[in-house]
Amino acid sequence: MRSPAAERDVRLEVSVTAGGDMDGGGALSHGGLRLLACFLGVFVCYFYYGILQEKITRGTYGEGEDKESFRFALSLVFVQCVVNAIFAKLLIQFFDSKAKPDRTQSWLYAVCSLSYLGAMVSSNSALQYVNYPTQVLGKSCKPIPVMLLGVSVLRKKYPLTKYLCVLLIVVGVALFMYKPKNSGPSGDDHLFGYGELLLLLSLTLDGLTGVSQDHMRANYQTGSNQMMLHINLWSSLFLGAGIVFTGEVWEFMSFTERYPSIIYNILLFSLTSALGQTFIFMTVVYFGPLTCSIITTTRKFFTILASVILFSNPISGLQWVGTLLVFLGLGLDAKFGKGSKKSSH
């Protein structure tokens, strides 16, 4: 049976800084096996998800002068949203059939879906300009816009430990992004280019999505599966109209006809995303957001490591120091940066 606290803490993608006091939620007879299943589910799904994302978006297709790159970020997210919506519908059908009717207003789902899909499209598009370790590390900075928007929009107050953890994250990112002027003959000495701007946009939209979801849970007690279903349905509607209006759908279909093997990777990419969200939900419900934070933070670090090994993405010693500082900040925040308190009015 799900506790109200667990329902409030679940999101489409559970933030690594989620707060709450659910540390005793996993005290079940088969808790050890369930925790192992959740850990392996999150780790394997999102580990493979990251590898597939880089393989799809940064891979080359064709040979010789006919080489092409994947340029269809909208279509990729469209397929992902459709699969997520189908998966959420199945979860509701088999596990939430007796849940209370959803009272959330449709326009709230529509607004939230705009920021949600904008964040995903920006994140996927950034991979055309930056390598995968940079994208993962950039997305790990989600606590920064979430906290800024929480203070400015929701008038929340955070403990000093959270500010110190965010400072660690900022310093780590600064070290990771720093490139000395004599960076080499490649001429890639920019500090902030299109890829970094897209990651910044994605982070900002992630923060807005979090604020919207907080509002829905606080005012309508929106269930996580209902939220996942309706936001992905609205996102599929917006993206479907977008790829038809821009003509990208025809170029995407032509691309898949030339390289049919990519269809398998895209479907597997979308399926691992949906499965990963399900395991994250299970982790929060049974073991609390702290355990989920530790698992997701560990997964991201090893995803960066795998990207360096499998795709030969170079990372300097200074960038490794920055990476360790970021994940140290995330880990300390998960342990000590407990939930915020709303200011009194």
Side-chain angles (χ1 to χ4, degrees):
M1 181 176 179
R2 301 173 187 165
S3 66
E7 287 291 334
R8 287 196 301 271
D9 280 326
V10 176
R11 295 184 179 179
L12 284 171
E13 180 182 358
V14 177
S15 171
V16 294
T17 58
D21 298 316
M22 294 175 54
D23 295 333
L28 300 174
S29 56
H30 300 289
L33 289 176
R34 181 178 278 119
L35 178 60
L36 179 62
C38 289
F39 173 80
L40 291 176
V42 172
F43 197 92
V44 172
C45 287
Y46 279 110
F47 188 83
Y48 198 33
Y49 169 90
I51 292 174
L52 287 168
Q53 186 180 37
E54 184 163 16
K55 186 175 182 180
I56 293 169
T57 57
R58 292 182 64 84
T60 55
Y61 303 87
E63 298 179 355
E65 297 180 354
D66 297 328
K67 279 188 177 180
E68 299 181 69
S69 58
F70 188 86
R71 309 178 309 277
F72 313 103
L74 291 178
S75 299
L76 179 63
V77 178
F78 171 74
V79 176
Q80 185 178 355
C81 288
V82 169
V83 173
N84 284 344
I86 294 172
F87 209 82
K89 182 64 176 177
L90 291 175
L91 288 175
I92 293 171
Q93 187 72 29
F94 290 102
F95 299 104
D96 284 349
S97 58
K98 297 181 180 179
K100 294 180 180 179
D102 183 28
R103 299 184 299 107
T104 310
Q105 297 181 17
S106 296
W107 69 269
L108 280 173
Y109 283 131
V111 171
C112 189
S113 72
L114 287 174
S115 59
Y116 167 68
L117 68 88
M120 286 201 298
V121 171
S122 301
S123 178
N124 286 334
S125 299
L127 283 171
Q128 298 177 23
Y129 305 97
V130 299
N131 59 28
Y132 192 71
T134 302
Q135 191 245 29
V136 173
L137 196 76
K139 292 291 286 183
S140 298
C141 299
K142 190 184 296 184
I144 298 174
V146 168
M147 190 174 72
L148 290 175
L149 288 168
V151 170
S152 59
V153 178
L154 299 180
R155 301 181 65 184
K156 290 184 176 181
K157 290 182 179 179
Y158 295 92
L160 179 61
T161 51
K162 183 172 285 291
Y163 289 100
L164 293 176
C165 292
V166 169
L167 179 62
L168 265 180
I169 296 172
V170 171
V171 172
V173 171
L175 288 176
F176 188 90
M177 301 300 295
Y178 173 74
K179 296 182 179 70
K181 291 184 179 179
N182 56 344
S183 57
S186 64
D188 184 22
D189 57 354
H190 73 278
L191 178 64
F192 218 79
Y194 292 118
E196 289 79 6
L197 284 173
L198 285 169
L199 286 177
L200 181 61
L201 175 62
S202 179
L203 283 172
T204 304
L205 293 172
D206 273 333
L208 291 173
T209 302
V211 170
S212 301
Q213 291 171 342
D214 280 341
H215 177 77
M216 283 190 280
R217 284 197 304 273
N219 292 277
Y220 299 96
Q221 292 75 50
T222 309
S224 61
N225 290 334
Q226 289 287 352
M227 191 181 294
M228 180 178 174
L229 171 64
H230 289 94
I231 289 179
N232 278 288
L233 282 176
W234 277 101
S235 298
S236 301
L237 178 64
F238 290 139
L239 284 170
I243 60 178
V244 170
F245 181 76
T246 61
E248 181 180 307
V249 62
W250 315 119
E251 296 179 19
F252 173 70
M253 292 176 66
S254 176
F255 188 88
T256 56
E257 285 181 3
R258 293 194 297 275
Y259 311 105
S261 61
I262 197 176
I263 298 176
Y264 172 78
N265 287 334
I266 290 175
L267 291 177
L268 197 56
F269 165 78
S270 302
L271 184 59
T272 53
S273 171
L275 279 171
Q277 288 182 16
T278 303
F279 280 112
I280 282 180
F281 172 74
M282 287 174 59
T283 305
V284 172
V285 168
Y286 291 111
F287 302 100
L290 174 59
T291 302
C292 184
S293 298
I294 294 171
I295 292 174
T296 54
T297 301
T298 305
R299 188 275 306 174
K300 287 182 179 179
F301 181 82
F302 281 100
T303 299
I304 289 180
L305 187 63
S307 178
V308 172
I309 296 172
L310 297 178
F311 296 95
S312 302
N313 286 313
I315 290 186
S316 66
L318 187 63
Q319 287 180 314
W320 273 120
V321 172
T323 301
L324 291 173
L325 283 178
V326 168
F327 286 103
L328 177 62
L330 292 171
L332 291 175
D333 178 64
K335 181 67 176 177
F336 302 108
K338 292 298 183 180
S340 60
K341 298 177 182 179
K342 286 188 178 181
S343 59
S344 58
H345 298 279

